[in-house]
Amino acid sequence: MLEVTNLDVRYGAIHAIRGVSLSVPEGMVVTLIGANGAGKTTILRTLSGLLRATGGGVRFLGDEITGLPSHQIVKRGLVHIPEGRIVFANMSVLENLELGAYLRRDREVKSDLERVFVLFPRLKERIHQSAGTLSGGEQQMLAIGRGLMSRPRFLLMDEPSLGLAPLLVQGIFEIVREIHRQGTTILLVEQNAHMALQVADFAYVLESGHIVMSGPAAEIAQDPRVRDAYLGGA
Amino acid sequence: MQEFLQQLVNGIAIGSIYALIALGYTMVYGILRFVNFAHGDVFMVGAFFGLFAAGWIGASAGANGPAAVVVVFLAAMFGAAVLGVILERFAYKPVRGQPRLNALITAIGVSLFLENAGILIFGADPKTFPELLPPANYSVGGVKISSTQVMTLAGSCLLMLGLNFVVYRTRIGKAMRAVSFSRDAASLMGIPTDRVITATFALGSALAAAAGVLFSMSYPRLDPLMGVMQGLKAFVAAVLGGIGNIPGAVVGGLVLGLAETLVSGYLSSTYRDAIAFVLLIVILIVKPSGLLGRAVSEKV
Ligand SMILES: Nc1ncnc2c1ncn2[C@@H]1O[C@H](COP(=O)(O)OP(=O)(O)OP(=O)(O)O)[C@@H](O)[C@H]1O
Ligand SMILES: [Mg+2]
């Protein structure tokens, strides 16, 4: 469904992504794990059109999407939930969710809103509250809910568990599973490799802009090098 | 007391003109974190567009009245909106994403260009704006209000209500608010940010042109440098209210207008133009984020 070949991204003199190739087949959860600064966010931002690749290509559903502006990529159903739960702090919860449906003209927006509220009852209670006053966990729920309002066929999720209490982390991964069950393909970026490898079918390990390892998530989780570096040697 | 009320009316009238110009500064700043120093010159060009439109429909020959007023406003606003879009596309867009100083220098260049093009095309000598409305003075409890002032108050109220509707009730307005919060996050919602920026310039420029026509109705001498002082004052008004903040621009404009008329009424009219800069210095010392501004950390 998504094919990345030889992707290269630079920030001026910094060569952040060096020839990354990866593929995500339809219906799968694929995770991309790696340490701070490995380049995970950079890859996602390039896939969603926020950054320009300096080399390589991205195909989505068979079409070349390299270099397209973000809004055209969203229109094709490739939706990016960014790192750090960037919600529109000056708007209400409802307005945030409605912005997720900005491109949609169909009549199912209302029922999708209800689906988001089923996933996150907390958001329904706070529907008119300003998003800036939500707790960190609630903002993450809102960021995910807003992404779902775009009707993604493919979801890029950047560290959805970042900075959340352990109990909430469990909850967020449950939600990731549920979104997948409902038919969305997911590329999940995580530092919490332990949880990510449990949810995912397939995994890539990124180090300083290179893919250094890939394989079925269960195998990667057993690899001694991964256990040492990303799973706390457990 | 009557004297004071009279100053109040005069102050609100000129203040609402400053507010209309300030809105353009603040909307563009809100979206791009960029001060469009050529905005005062768009106000000037808008006034000239109004003058030409009045000429075409023969307003100076007495063909005036409400219909003429509407035509002149629409023509000036439409012309200025097109100008704003052209400036954005060909002057500002190419330097977007470059260091901020480049955009600032570009804006100053655009300003000088418009002023000199104005001198070349319109001529340096002042032109007289025709009387669009039959001159009349109404008296309310001893306070005199001219027909032009009524027009100014009604017109700016209408435009501000319209803007409020666009920004808070329409799809494009919602997109504008999203882009002004975060361009990246807005793109990820599928919002075409370039088009939103274009629309913002069009809207801001149209409001400046409306201000230009209203100003010319009260002070009917038009020259290519008329935008320098008014533009600077409106910029002060935007900072006063909190730049980037839409209600702030309105409050800032009204405060500035009132301060000016009260100072020239009770102290001396020589201080009239200086008060704006006194207010600017005071607000920058006391509350740099402006009257309605919240202290937000600068986004990069
Ligand atoms: N705007 C930028 N300008 C210059 N360098 C950048 C920029 N953004 C990221 N980088 C650099 O690119 C590299 C990859 O950063 P990236 O944010 O993709 O890492 P990450 O894997 O997402 O890290 P984390 O787990 O901490 O989120 C880092 O070395 C970073 O310093
Ligand atoms: Mg990251």
Side-chain angles (χ1 to χ4, degrees):
Chain A
M1 189 174 201
L2 182 80
E3 294 288 338
V4 178
T5 35
N6 267 322
L7 193 70
D8 224 72
V9 186
R10 292 167 195 263
Y11 296 105
I14 300 171
H15 199 171
I17 301 300
R18 304 154 185 256
V20 164
S21 298
L22 54 85
S23 82
V24 183
E26 180 145 20
M28 274 207 183
V29 179
V30 171
T31 186
L32 180 63
I33 58 179
N36 287 114
K40 307 179 296 292
T41 299
T42 304
I43 292 180
L44 293 198
R45 287 172 63 84
T46 312
L47 296 182
S48 60
L50 291 177
L51 284 177
R52 299 235 145 195
T54 45
V58 182
R59 292 177 82 80
F60 181 62
L61 292 168
D63 297 329
E64 187 74 30
I65 60 164
T66 330
L68 285 186
S70 293
H71 65 271
Q72 289 185 16
I73 293 178
V74 177
K75 205 177 270 173
R76 291 164 185 253
L78 179 57
V79 173
H80 177 179
I81 299 176
E83 185 179 13
R85 33 183 186 250
I86 306 164
V87 296
F88 298 102
N90 51 344
M91 298 187 204
S92 72
V93 167
L94 181 63
E95 283 178 302
N96 269 271
L97 293 172
E98 285 170 353
L99 270 172
Y102 184 81
L103 286 175
R104 294 177 51 188
R105 304 235 181 233
D106 56 283
R107 297 175 170 275
E108 285 156 45
V109 173
K110 272 241 153 59
S111 60
D112 280 359
L113 203 57
E114 284 312 315
R115 276 179 46 203
V116 168
F117 289 144
V118 170
L119 280 179
F120 304 110
R122 205 75 91 80
L123 293 182
K124 188 162 192 176
E125 293 162 20
R126 287 163 173 69
I127 186 162
H128 295 300
Q129 191 172 326
S130 140
T133 63
L134 295 177
S135 77
E138 288 160 358
Q139 289 189 6
Q140 186 62 62
M141 295 174 196
L142 181 56
I144 296 175
R146 192 183 58 184
L148 294 178
M149 290 303 293
S150 312
R151 275 259 163 126
R153 305 168 72 168
F154 191 114
L155 205 51
L156 303 168
M157 302 180 89
D158 198 349
E159 307 214 28
S161 76
L162 188 73
L164 298 185
L167 207 65
L168 270 179
V169 172
Q170 285 285 353
I172 291 289
F173 279 100
E174 266 318 306
I175 296 290
V176 173
R177 277 204 184 90
E178 179 58 31
I179 293 169
H180 175 235
R181 231 190 328 266
Q182 293 180 8
T184 308
T185 308
I186 297 175
L187 176 58
L188 173 68
V189 156
E190 262 300 338
Q191 280 198 45
N192 188 335
H194 182 69
M195 295 295 290
L197 290 171
Q198 282 185 17
V199 178
D201 304 300
F202 200 89
Y204 290 91
V205 182
L206 190 71
E207 262 174 33
S208 345
H210 293 283
I211 301 281
V212 292
M213 211 185 292
S214 63
E219 278 174 33
I220 294 285
Q222 295 307 319
D223 189 282
R225 286 167 297 172
V226 171
R227 293 172 75 97
D228 275 354
Y230 302 106
L231 301 175
Chain B
M1 187 60 197
Q2 201 164 317
E3 162 76 9
F4 178 74
L5 287 176
Q6 182 69 57
Q7 303 290 5
L8 226 53
V9 168
N10 296 345
I12 291 174
I14 183 70
S16 51
I17 293 178
Y18 294 148
L20 287 177
I21 313 173
L23 282 166
Y25 278 111
T26 235
M27 283 172 13
V28 166
Y29 183 87
I31 282 203
L32 292 175
R33 303 293 181 271
F34 153 70
V35 177
N36 177 13
F37 274 112
H39 191 58
D41 303 296
V42 173
F43 157 89
M44 173 275 291
V45 175
F48 273 95
F49 284 160
L51 176 70
F52 295 147
W56 286 325
I57 61 173
S60 40
N64 42 26
V69 171
V70 170
V71 170
V72 168
F73 270 93
L74 290 182
M77 290 171 74
F78 179 76
V82 172
L83 175 68
V85 169
I86 291 173
L87 294 180
E88 195 276 328
R89 175 65 189 79
F90 293 102
Y92 300 139
K93 196 175 177 195
V95 294
R96 212 189 288 157
Q98 289 179 20
R100 272 172 209 217
L101 190 59
N102 299 15
L104 196 66
I105 293 170
T106 305
I108 293 170
V110 168
S111 168
L112 291 172
F113 170 79
L114 290 177
E115 285 160 20
N116 288 293
I119 291 174
L120 213 64
I121 298 167
F122 310 140
D125 50 316
K127 304 281 182 293
T128 306
F129 200 79
E131 273 177 345
L132 291 181
L133 291 174
N137 271 311
Y138 309 102
S139 180
V140 184
V143 178
K144 274 189 308 194
I145 305 182
S146 68
S147 53
T148 307
Q149 283 179 323
V150 171
M151 174 71 219
T152 303
L153 295 175
S156 44
C157 265
L158 210 66
L159 288 168
M160 287 173 199
L161 288 176
L163 180 70
N164 193 67
F165 179 82
V166 169
V167 171
Y168 292 100
R169 292 273 177 277
T170 64
R171 206 166 117 90
I172 182 77
K174 195 181 243 189
M176 280 177 183
R177 285 185 294 142
V179 173
S180 94
F181 182 78
S182 159
R183 186 137 29 116
D184 278 356
S187 310
L188 293 182
M189 301 299 104
I191 295 171
T193 51
D194 279 351
R195 248 178 278 160
V196 172
I197 292 169
T198 304
T200 307
F201 269 85
L203 211 54
S205 304
L207 291 176
V213 174
L214 288 173
F215 185 82
S216 307
M217 289 171 74
S218 299
Y219 308 88
R221 288 165 66 78
L222 278 66
D223 73 83
L225 298 183
M226 67 188 278
V228 177
M229 195 53 159
Q230 306 313 320
L232 215 51
K233 285 185 186 173
F235 171 65
V236 170
V239 173
L240 202 60
I243 193 153
N245 181 312
I246 288 182
V250 176
V251 171
L254 293 176
V255 168
L256 179 59
L258 286 170
E260 272 192 352
T261 46
L262 292 177
V263 162
S264 59
Y266 289 103
L267 290 172
S268 155
S269 56
T270 38
Y271 299 134
R272 187 187 171 99
D273 285 346
I275 186 67
F277 304 100
V278 173
L279 283 176
L280 178 65
I281 291 167
V282 171
I283 195 79
L284 288 181
I285 293 171
V286 178
K287 195 163 182 282
S289 56
L291 293 172
L292 301 192
R294 266 164 298 172
V296 278
S297 58
E298 177 106 341
K299 282 193 303 186
V300 186

